[in-house]
Amino acid sequence: MPFYDSPVDGARLHYVDHGPTTGPVAVFVSSAYLGYEMWEYQMLPLAEAGYRCVALDRRGHGRSEDTWLGYDLDTLADDLQGLLDHLDLRGVTLIGHSVGTAEVVRCLTRHGTARVDRVALVSGVSPGIVRSPGVPDGIDPALVRADEAAFRRDRAGWFTASADDFFAVGLPGIEVTEAYTRYLIDRCLVATPRAALGIRAVVASLDLTAELPGVAVPVLVVHGTHDTSAPLALTGERIARMVPDGTLKVYENAGHGLFATHAERLTEDLREFLDAASADSGLAQAA
């Protein structure tokens, strides 16, 4: 089972490395509470098709070490950069979901693009969803505090009550089984209470409005029309406008969990994006 040590504090972090060791490289960064397993409908078919697919369990999630400290965005971004350095990856396409998009953006603005060629931000909470000077139309912080109180009282109940909205159940074309929903909730509960609350704190204070214009690589933004966790107008549309080279793809009737409900479409869009990175690399080498 592959692990590496965080460059920040030596925390033992788990990752997976699927597919060939050559060719296009995709590095997946997961949503809050979830580990690499959330990407099974993307990583497995892409790896089978010849793409190298790497994914990280952030600290306190999945099989990674449970630490008390290190849930600030800078440390999480440093952990991600540490994985790229550990595997000596280059020409990478970073793919983040939800709060994972913030880790991706901070990794780029903090460490540069020497190892990264492209970025895909899926259902992102970036640039921020809670009201702040940079996000004046965000969610009322009082509502966020009340939601956290409910989360602290009963995490299992909170995940169960949120599941239908997460997947946009009831909208045309949305199919997700009760068994899969239960499985994903169980995986969310693997994240330690400390880690879960630490990630919630990142989201509550997130404001990347000053950083997104500095993301100097092509960015694919994928977002659903019915994402209640990260409303499209507040996040996906803003990201696509703020980065220098952004492409927005909107999935009709999709919620936050489109990696499952729109799995084949997302996988195909990521494949196309990875192929474009390979084409760009070939042109650069020829030049």
Side-chain angles (χ1 to χ4, degrees), residues 78-161:
D78 291 351
D79 287 346
L80 175 56
Q81 182 66 31
L83 176 60
L84 305 185
D85 293 341
H86 173 73
L87 295 175
D88 193 23
L89 299 177
R90 299 185 183 278
V92 170
T93 296
L94 283 178
I95 303 168
H97 178 271
S98 191
V99 72
T101 66
E103 291 165 82
V104 166
V105 171
R106 180 60 58 84
C107 183
L108 291 184
T109 58
R110 189 167 168 83
H111 295 284
T113 59
R115 296 188 180 276
V116 179
D117 285 354
R118 288 179 164 238
V119 164
L121 305 178
V122 182
S123 304
V125 296
S126 303
I129 60 171
V130 180
R131 187 185 305 154
S132 68
V135 190
D137 50 351
I139 301 167
D140 184 346
L143 296 177
V144 176
R145 291 192 293 271
D147 186 65
E148 179 166 322
F151 185 84
R152 285 176 177 267
R153 282 194 303 270
D154 183 359
R155 286 192 302 145
W158 187 92
F159 286 125
T160 301

Side-chain angles (χ1 to χ4, degrees), residues 27-39 43 55-58 61 80 95-104 122 199 259:
V27 176
F28 292 82
V29 186
S30 300
S31 176
Y33 322 123
L34 289 167
Y36 80 91
E37 66 280 343
M38 68 161 280
W39 294 108
M43 289 186 65
L56 163 70
D57 284 345
R58 74 168 61 80
H61 291 61
L80 175 56
I95 303 168
H97 178 271
S98 191
V99 72
T101 66
E103 291 165 82
V104 166
V122 182
I199 294 302
F259 58 88

Side-chain angles (χ1 to χ4, degrees), residues 279-287:
D280 288 348
S281 176
L283 290 172
Q285 289 177 7

Side-chain angles (χ1 to χ4, degrees), residues 1 3 18 20-21 34 40 65 68 75 101 124 152-153 161 163 168 177 198 204 232 236 251 255:
M1 189 177 294
F3 290 88
H18 293 165
T21 57
L34 289 167
E40 67 172 292
E65 182 179 347
W68 182 250
T75 298
T101 66
R152 285 176 177 267
R153 282 194 303 270
T177 65
L232 173 61
Y251 291 10

